[in-house]
Every structure is written in structure tokens, then in C-alpha cells.
Amino acid sequence: MARWKGLGAAAVAALAFVAVKVLPWGLGFAGGKYLYQTVAGSTARKAPTRAEVEKQDFQIFKAIAQEFPDDYNAFIDKITLAAGSGNQQAVRDASRVAVAELRRKYAPLLPSAPDREISQALAAQLTMVNHLMARETPVTCNNYLRYGPDAISAPGNDFLVDLDRIGATLFHAFGAAKRSSLPAAEPSDEDWSLIADAFTRNGGTPAEMDAIANMNQDFSGLCPAVVKFYTAALSMPGEPGRHIKTALLYATSRN
């Protein structure tokens, strides 16, 4: 019984700490980068048009446009207005707020989301952590898990691609949940017990579970532990798996 309770606490911590920071920051950074290249470096400081903002070709833009076209129009208008100021930070702030507003609006739908879209969104999170483990030191990876992408001192294009994928898959999950007729459900005690078993089968230890639950930045194996945790969740089939995955993604998105 204690095992699934501990992992339940870890679930809320392990996903909430990462994506609540990642999603708005990712779009904000990309918007700021665009502004720097097209506006801040121009002596004329010509304000970009809506069409120029949309040409950034972010997957998250396409996902919002596809799933929530009415929201998309207002979303792009807010970013375009901020871009007109010629201020990189203004674009980052506007995009953070705009994404957060949509995230909070649609997060309550997630308990009804289908397994396929939920799994894709969680897999995008897993991809990011795996890439960080391959590219960065354990300390930097741990800092990312604790503090978000600001921990990466020189983010490259592949890092931005990972962030963009995280945002896009989340909004596709929102859209799928909106169309879904599946019943909303929270994980039962048995569901949490099953993911605890899956975590253990994947090599997870009690020490790693505790490190995830407490976001112990000093735990040298924090990133590998989180990878095991995501992998365990993604391995769970059927309704128990859907319950766990939707609960994890909801923890990511509701704040």
C-alpha cells in the first residue's frame, strides 16, 4: 500500500515540475528568438505582421490552429501585438501567458482523453529527458528537472524542437479529449499499485522513487529515475494505463 501511495505523490511531482515550466517557456523562447532575428536586429525595427509571426512554423502553432481555431486567432493576435513592441522579453511574456491561459482552459478535459494522444504527449516528455541525458551533464539534467529549461545555458535547435513537440502533443491531447466520449476517471489504488510494479520491473528502486517524489536535485541518478518512471507509465495497457497517463498529464497542465 505504501508503495503506490509513494509513487502517486511522485507522479504529481514528476510531471508537474517539468511541463508547467517547459510549455510556456518553450514557446516564449522561440518567439523571442524570432523577434531577435527579425525585429531587434533591424534598424527600422519594423513590427512583424501576423503572417510573419505564423511563419515561424512551430508545431504548437499548428496544433492549436487545428484543435482550437477560435482560440488560435486570439492567441496569435496577442503574440503579434507583443512582437510589435520590438522587445524580446515582451514576446516571451505574452506567449507564456497565452499558452498558460489555454492550458488551464482545457486541462479539465484530460481525464477523458484517449490513450493514443496521452501516450504521445508523455512520450514527448520522455524524449526530452533522454536527449538531455545524452547531451548534458547529470547536474545540468537534474537542474532542468527542478527548474525548467532556464537550466540549459546554450539551448540548441534540437532542444527547441523537443520543446515544440511537447507543446504540440499536449494540445493534440486536449483536442482529442474534447472529442472523446470516454468516461473521465481517476486512478484507483490498484492502478497506482500497477505502475509501482511497472516501475520496479523497469529497474526502479525505492530510493529513486523517493528522489522523484521529492525532486531531490542532489540525487545523482534523478534523470535516469525519471526516465524509468515515464517508461513505466507508457508501458501500462488498457484502462489502468489510461487512468495513470491522464492523471499524470493533468498534473502537468492544470496549474
Coordinates of all heavy atoms in Angstrom, one line a residue, residues 63 66-68 106 108-121 168-183 242 246 249:
A63 N -0.8 22.9 -34.0 CA -1.7 22.0 -33.1 C -2.9 22.9 -32.6 O -4.0 22.5 -32.6 CB -0.9 21.4 -32.0
Q66 N -5.3 23.7 -35.4 CA -6.1 22.5 -35.8 C -7.2 22.2 -34.7 O -8.3 21.9 -35.1 CB -5.2 21.3 -36.0 CG -5.9 20.0 -36.3 CD -5.0 18.8 -36.4 OE1 -3.8 19.0 -36.7 NE2 -5.5 17.6 -36.2
E67 N -6.8 22.2 -33.5 CA -7.7 21.7 -32.4 C -8.6 22.8 -31.9 O -9.8 22.5 -31.6 CB -6.9 21.2 -31.2 CG -5.9 20.1 -31.6 CD -6.5 18.8 -32.0 OE1 -7.8 18.7 -32.0 OE2 -5.8 17.9 -32.4
F68 N -8.2 24.1 -31.9 CA -9.0 25.1 -31.3 C -8.8 26.4 -32.2 O -8.2 27.4 -31.8 CB -8.5 25.4 -29.9 CG -8.5 24.2 -29.0 CD1 -7.3 23.6 -28.7 CD2 -9.7 23.6 -28.6 CE1 -7.3 22.4 -27.9 CE2 -9.7 22.5 -27.8 CZ -8.5 21.9 -27.4
Y106 N -8.2 24.1 -21.0 CA -8.6 22.7 -21.5 C -8.1 21.6 -20.6 O -8.4 20.4 -20.9 CB -8.1 22.6 -22.9 CG -8.8 23.5 -23.9 CD1 -8.2 24.6 -24.4 CD2 -10.2 23.3 -24.1 CE1 -8.9 25.5 -25.3 CE2 -10.9 24.1 -25.0 CZ -10.3 25.2 -25.6 OH -11.0 26.0 -26.4
P108 N -9.0 20.5 -17.7 CA -10.0 19.7 -17.1 C -10.6 18.6 -18.0 O -11.3 17.7 -17.6 CB -11.1 20.7 -16.7 CG -10.4 22.0 -16.5 CD -9.3 22.0 -17.6
L109 N -10.4 18.7 -19.3 CA -10.9 17.7 -20.3 C -10.0 16.4 -20.3 O -10.5 15.4 -20.7 CB -10.9 18.3 -21.7 CG -11.7 19.5 -22.0 CD1 -11.5 19.9 -23.4 CD2 -13.2 19.2 -21.8
L110 N -8.8 16.5 -19.8 CA -7.8 15.4 -20.0 C -8.3 14.1 -19.4 O -7.9 13.0 -20.0 CB -6.5 15.8 -19.4 CG -5.7 16.8 -20.2 CD1 -4.4 17.2 -19.5 CD2 -5.3 16.2 -21.6
P111 N -9.0 14.0 -18.3 CA -9.4 12.7 -17.8 C -10.2 11.8 -18.8 O -10.3 10.6 -18.6 CB -10.2 13.0 -16.5 CG -9.6 14.3 -16.0 CD -9.3 15.1 -17.3
S112 N -10.7 12.5 -19.8 CA -11.5 11.7 -20.8 C -10.6 11.5 -22.1 O -11.2 11.0 -23.1 CB -12.7 12.5 -21.2 OG -13.6 12.6 -20.1
A113 N -9.4 11.9 -22.1 CA -8.6 11.8 -23.3 C -8.3 10.3 -23.7 O -8.1 9.5 -22.8 CB -7.3 12.5 -23.1
P114 N -8.2 10.0 -25.0 CA -7.8 8.7 -25.4 C -6.4 8.4 -25.1 O -5.5 9.3 -25.0 CB -8.1 8.7 -26.9 CG -9.0 9.9 -27.2 CD -8.6 10.9 -26.1
D115 N -6.1 7.1 -25.0 CA -4.7 6.6 -24.7 C -3.7 7.1 -25.7 O -2.6 7.4 -25.3 CB -4.7 5.1 -24.5 CG -3.4 4.6 -24.0 OD1 -3.1 4.7 -22.8 OD2 -2.6 4.1 -24.8
R116 N -4.0 7.0 -27.0 CA -3.0 7.3 -28.0 C -2.5 8.7 -27.9 O -1.2 8.9 -27.9 CB -3.7 7.1 -29.4 CG -2.7 7.3 -30.6 CD -3.3 7.0 -31.9 NE -4.3 8.0 -32.3 CZ -4.0 8.9 -33.2 NH1 -2.9 9.0 -33.8 NH2 -5.0 9.8 -33.5
E117 N -3.3 9.7 -27.8 CA -2.8 11.1 -27.7 C -2.1 11.4 -26.3 O -1.1 12.1 -26.3 CB -4.0 12.0 -27.9 CG -4.5 12.2 -29.3 CD -5.4 11.0 -29.8 OE1 -5.8 10.2 -28.9 OE2 -5.7 10.9 -31.0
I118 N -2.6 10.8 -25.3 CA -2.0 10.9 -24.0 C -0.6 10.3 -24.0 O 0.4 10.9 -23.5 CB -2.8 10.3 -22.9 CG1 -4.1 11.1 -22.6 CG2 -2.0 10.2 -21.6 CD1 -3.9 12.4 -22.0
S119 N -0.5 9.1 -24.6 CA 0.8 8.5 -24.7 C 1.8 9.3 -25.5 O 3.0 9.4 -25.2 CB 0.7 7.1 -25.3 OG -0.1 6.2 -24.4
Q120 N 1.3 9.9 -26.6 CA 2.2 10.7 -27.4 C 2.7 11.9 -26.6 O 3.9 12.3 -26.8 CB 1.5 11.2 -28.7 CG 1.2 10.1 -29.7 CD 0.3 10.5 -30.8 OE1 -0.3 11.6 -30.8 NE2 0.2 9.7 -31.8
A121 N 1.9 12.5 -25.8 CA 2.3 13.7 -25.0 C 3.3 13.3 -24.0 O 4.3 14.0 -23.8 CB 1.1 14.4 -24.4
A168 N 3.0 20.8 -28.8 CA 2.1 20.3 -29.8 C 1.3 19.1 -29.4 O 0.1 19.0 -29.5 CB 2.8 20.1 -31.1
T169 N 2.0 18.1 -28.8 CA 1.3 16.9 -28.4 C 0.4 17.1 -27.3 O -0.7 16.5 -27.2 CB 2.4 15.8 -28.0 OG1 3.2 16.3 -27.0 CG2 3.2 15.3 -29.2
L170 N 0.7 18.1 -26.4 CA -0.3 18.4 -25.3 C -1.6 18.9 -25.9 O -2.7 18.5 -25.5 CB 0.3 19.3 -24.3 CG -0.6 19.7 -23.2 CD1 -1.0 18.5 -22.4 CD2 0.1 20.7 -22.2
F171 N -1.5 19.9 -26.8 CA -2.7 20.5 -27.4 C -3.5 19.5 -28.3 O -4.7 19.5 -28.3 CB -2.4 21.7 -28.1 CG -2.3 22.9 -27.2 CD1 -1.0 23.3 -26.7 CD2 -3.4 23.6 -26.8 CE1 -0.9 24.4 -25.8 CE2 -3.3 24.7 -25.9 CZ -2.1 25.1 -25.4
H172 N -2.8 18.5 -28.9 CA -3.5 17.5 -29.6 C -4.2 16.6 -28.6 O -5.3 16.1 -28.9 CB -2.5 16.6 -30.4 CG -2.1 17.3 -31.7 ND1 -3.1 17.8 -32.6 CD2 -0.9 17.5 -32.3 CE1 -2.4 18.4 -33.7 NE2 -1.1 18.2 -33.5
A173 N -3.6 16.4 -27.4 CA -4.3 15.6 -26.4 C -5.6 16.3 -25.9 O -6.6 15.7 -25.6 CB -3.4 15.3 -25.2
F174 N -5.4 17.7 -25.7 CA -6.6 18.4 -25.3 C -7.7 18.3 -26.4 O -8.9 18.1 -26.0 CB -6.3 19.9 -25.3 CG -5.4 20.3 -24.1 CD1 -4.6 21.5 -24.2 CD2 -5.4 19.6 -22.9 CE1 -3.8 21.9 -23.1 CE2 -4.6 20.0 -21.8 CZ -3.8 21.1 -21.9
G175 N -7.4 18.4 -27.7 CA -8.4 18.3 -28.7 C -9.0 16.9 -28.7 O -10.2 16.8 -28.9
A176 N -8.2 15.9 -28.6 CA -8.8 14.5 -28.6 C -9.7 14.3 -27.4 O -10.7 13.6 -27.5 CB -7.6 13.5 -28.5
A177 N -9.3 14.9 -26.3 CA -10.2 14.8 -25.1 C -11.5 15.5 -25.3 O -12.6 15.0 -24.9 CB -9.5 15.4 -23.9
K178 N -11.5 16.6 -26.0 CA -12.7 17.4 -26.3 C -13.7 16.6 -27.1 O -14.9 16.6 -27.0 CB -12.4 18.7 -26.9 CG -13.5 19.6 -27.1 CD -13.1 21.0 -27.7 CE -14.3 21.9 -27.8 NZ -13.9 23.3 -28.3
R179 N -13.1 15.8 -28.1 CA -13.9 15.0 -29.0 C -14.3 13.7 -28.4 O -15.2 13.0 -28.9 CB -13.2 14.8 -30.3 CG -12.9 16.0 -31.1 CD -12.2 15.7 -32.4 NE -10.9 15.0 -32.3 CZ -9.8 15.7 -32.2 NH1 -9.8 17.0 -32.2 NH2 -8.6 15.0 -32.1
S180 N -13.7 13.3 -27.3 CA -13.8 11.9 -26.8 C -15.1 11.7 -26.1 O -15.7 12.6 -25.5 CB -12.7 11.6 -25.8 OG -12.9 10.4 -25.2
S181 N -15.6 10.5 -26.2 CA -16.8 10.1 -25.4 C -16.4 9.1 -24.3 O -17.3 8.5 -23.6 CB -17.8 9.3 -26.3 OG -17.2 8.2 -26.9
L182 N -15.1 9.0 -24.0 CA -14.6 8.1 -22.9 C -15.0 8.7 -21.6 O -15.0 9.9 -21.4 CB -13.1 7.9 -23.0 CG -12.6 7.2 -24.2 CD1 -11.1 7.3 -24.3 CD2 -13.0 5.7 -24.1
P183 N -15.3 7.9 -20.6 CA -15.6 8.4 -19.3 C -14.3 8.9 -18.6 O -13.2 8.4 -18.7 CB -16.1 7.1 -18.5 CG -15.5 6.0 -19.2 CD -15.4 6.4 -20.7
R242 N -4.5 4.1 -19.1 CA -5.1 5.4 -19.5 C -5.4 6.2 -18.3 O -5.1 7.5 -18.3 CB -6.4 5.2 -20.3 CG -7.0 6.5 -20.8 CD -8.2 6.3 -21.7 NE -9.4 6.0 -20.8 CZ -10.2 6.9 -20.3 NH1 -10.0 8.2 -20.5 NH2 -11.3 6.5 -19.6
T246 N -3.5 9.8 -18.0 CA -4.3 11.1 -18.0 C -4.1 11.8 -16.7 O -4.0 13.0 -16.7 CB -5.8 10.8 -18.2 OG1 -6.3 9.8 -17.2 CG2 -6.1 10.2 -19.6
L249 N -0.7 13.6 -17.0 CA -0.8 14.8 -17.9 C -1.6 15.9 -17.3 O -1.3 17.1 -17.5 CB -1.3 14.4 -19.2 CG -0.8 15.3 -20.4 CD1 0.7 15.2 -20.5 CD2 -1.4 14.8 -21.7

